[in-house]
Amino acid sequence: MKFNTKAIHGGQDNIDPAYDAVMPPIYQTSTYRQSSPGEHKGYAYSRSGNPTRTALEKAIASLENGKQGLAFASGLAAIDAVMKLLKPGDEVISTNDLYGGTYRLFNRIFKSFGIKFHFIGFSDVSKIESYVNENTKMIWTETPTNPLMHIIDIAAVADLSKKYNLKLIVDNTFATAYLQQPLDLGADIVMHSATKYLGGHSDVVMGTLVVKDDELADKLYFIQNASGGIAGPMDSFLVLRGLKTLHLRMQRHCENGRVLAEYLAQHPQVENVYWPGFASHPNHDIAKKQMKDFGGMVSFTTQGNKQGDAVKFLENLKVFTLAESLGGVESLAGHPASMTHASIPKEEREKIGVVDSLIRLSVGIEDEEDLRMDLKQALEA
Ligand code: P1T
């Protein structure tokens, strides 16, 4: 099956054995009747499993070319479950440009349980190797990274992780399975904040994991059930509905992203534009190799790097909404330094380029000209 067909039908065989409904019912139930202790029709309690969640988990597993999907209450709950594969003394090597909440979970929660994190740039894979020691268990990366759009060579990092028997986890939130499929490139776990493009309509918070290895699937399912950070049935239904238009939405996100990145690049008040589609982007060749297109996320800085200018720009937007999050049909704009990445200390942030004038756009699927005109008038203001 091709991707566009899988977006609609993947993993959805026999989705409603009772009535053959085309969409799975929302099984808004916590428990299931048993005819005798332990005798039931496959579901005993909705933390352990719920048919609506199963339908979604099968759909996302199909899109990522994995075997098993797992849905959680948020992206961070999914990441939390992955980290529970580790034990005190273990070490993780992570990209230094990543979502602020992920950094906070690693550095403020799991660090105090004895797990050591190394945050480094991944553009030079041999640099990652120099951090590997006998305690290293995991490599964590986003690509494109949030918010600076570095592109990490998944296949090259996967080769390294296999050499040292490490688990490679790719946070595929920005690209989605439409643009790249990390499991096919050698990753062990692909993670999503389904809150973003998978849901696609800014109406649900959710996280997903997909794996292809049965043993790893069993371990993660054990953690999902034991820790309990599961996705609810209503949210599962909403994300499943979102997945059915993922290919169409992503196509338009990419088209609009390109138009706005190119517009910003030639604007005299703009200093740097971060978008992997530019031939001048340092990782453009990797992006071309591993992605179908370049996505709808674009970051930029204004001339002179003054926070006041960035704030004024954001306050003047009319079609774009100033808000946290990304990946919905509507265009959003954010100020990483004070919003999504405020939990990273200023000094750390600035070292990697998350400066005070940085603005991040999640380019939606509105008319491209309205979006361009909105940027124009806000930059002029
Ligand atoms: O918000 P939540 O569903 O828990 O997902 C966390 C998360 C994980 N990974 C990436 C790459 C993310 O971007 C996020 C959430 N990000 C935002 C809310 C944001 O505006 O960047």
Side-chain angles (χ1 to χ4, degrees):
M1 239 191 252
K2 296 266 176 36
F3 188 90
N4 297 355
T5 311
K6 280 207 288 191
I8 294 158
H9 299 291
Q12 302 303 290
D13 304 334
N14 197 24
I15 215 65
D16 174 31
Y19 297 110
D20 282 337
V22 170
M23 278 299 278
I26 302 165
Y27 281 94
Q28 196 72 49
T29 185
S30 61
T31 194
Y32 308 80
R33 191 179 67 80
Q34 305 193 9
S35 53
S36 178
E39 296 281 322
H40 52 73
K41 295 182 176 166
Y43 293 93
Y45 185 58
S46 276
R47 171 161 38 71
S48 313
N50 174 286
T52 319
R53 194 174 92 217
T54 303
L56 169 68
E57 290 176 335
K58 286 185 169 168
I60 180 65
S62 158
L63 286 184
E64 288 287 4
N65 295 332
K67 261 191 175 166
Q68 174 77 45
L70 300 123
F72 294 83
S74 68
L76 284 175
I79 301 172
D80 179 90
V82 174
M83 288 298 128
K84 286 174 178 160
L85 292 166
L86 301 172
K87 58 181 192 325
D90 287 349
E91 299 189 13
V92 179
I93 305 171
S94 167
T95 34
N96 55 7
D97 187 43
L98 78 170
Y99 172 54
T102 307
Y103 176 87
R104 181 177 56 196
L105 179 64
F106 289 174
N107 223 29
R108 302 279 298 278
I109 305 278
F110 282 99
K111 192 173 149 191
S112 59
F113 292 153
I115 293 162
K116 189 167 176 184
F117 294 91
H118 303 274
F119 296 98
I120 61 168
F122 274 21
S123 49
D124 175 4
V125 175
S126 66
K127 189 170 166 207
I128 307 176
E129 196 161 10
S130 70
Y131 282 82
V132 176
N133 63 45
E134 71 276 12
N135 296 321
T136 312
K137 295 287 152 55
M138 218 177 246
I139 300 181
W140 185 278
T141 186
E142 299 175 0
T143 180
T145 61
N146 181 0
L148 290 170
M149 314 297 161
H150 297 294
I151 303 295
I152 311 304
D153 188 335
I154 299 172
V157 181
D159 283 348
L160 179 79
S161 73
K162 282 187 181 36
K163 180 171 165 193
Y164 292 100
N165 199 22
L166 314 175
K167 294 277 178 265
L168 171 63
I169 297 93
V170 175
D171 180 337
N172 205 21
T173 299
F174 271 32
T176 81
Y178 175 76
L179 295 178
Q180 70 191 13
Q181 284 144 353
L183 297 179
D184 289 350
L185 299 172
D188 298 286
I189 304 176
V190 56
M191 177 264 151
H192 277 273
S193 169
T195 315
K196 312 300 188 301
Y197 290 106
L198 301 191
H201 296 75
S202 305
D203 51 9
V204 61
V205 175
M206 190 193 286
T208 60
L209 301 176
V210 181
V211 294
K212 55 187 175 190
D213 175 76
D214 288 333
E215 194 187 329
L216 192 53
D218 289 347
K219 283 185 184 163
L220 287 167
Y221 172 71
F222 177 81
I223 294 167
Q224 184 192 37
N225 184 43
S227 285
I230 49 149
M234 180 70 195
D235 290 350
S236 298
F237 176 87
L238 285 172
V239 172
L240 187 60
R241 180 160 77 160
L243 284 185
K244 288 172 193 279
T245 55
L246 179 68
H247 52 303
L248 295 175
R249 288 184 286 107
M250 287 309 291
Q251 225 172 308
R252 180 62 77 86
H253 284 297
C254 291
E255 285 164 18
N256 285 355
R258 171 184 297 276
V259 169
L260 297 197
E262 284 171 356
Y263 174 73
L264 288 167
Q266 55 76 50
H267 198 285
Q269 262 151 304
V270 171
E271 193 162 316
N272 296 310
V273 183
Y274 302 94
W275 178 67
F278 290 130
S280 58
H281 184 287
N283 319 120
H284 178 67
D285 289 342
I286 304 165
K288 259 192 359 202
K289 182 180 72 168
Q290 73 188 19
M291 298 172 78
K292 191 188 286 182
D293 203 337
F294 303 108
M297 297 299 297
V298 181
S299 296
F300 69 99
T301 53
T302 48
Q303 288 289 354
N305 187 27
K306 287 198 271 256
Q307 174 156 345
D309 291 346
V311 169
K312 205 184 277 174
F313 167 83
L314 289 164
E315 287 172 351
N316 276 285
L317 289 167
K318 292 186 170 62
V319 182
F320 276 83
T321 303
L322 171 57
E324 301 263 352
S325 203
L326 60 109
V329 289
E330 64 288 295
S331 291
L332 301 182
H335 183 241
S338 66
M339 294 167 69
T340 47
H341 292 69
S343 50
I344 304 178
K346 186 175 165 74
E347 204 180 287
E348 294 294 312
R349 252 196 290 117
E350 294 200 331
K351 245 193 270 170
I352 59 164
V354 183
V355 294
D356 287 344
S357 76
L358 185 74
I359 291 160
R360 192 192 71 185
L361 303 178
S362 169
V363 181
I365 63 171
E366 301 94 333
D367 188 275
E368 152 263 300
E369 191 174 345
D370 289 333
L371 297 178
R372 195 159 32 88
M373 287 301 132
D374 195 30
L375 295 187
K376 180 173 188 289
Q377 65 78 25
L379 280 165
E380 280 165 6

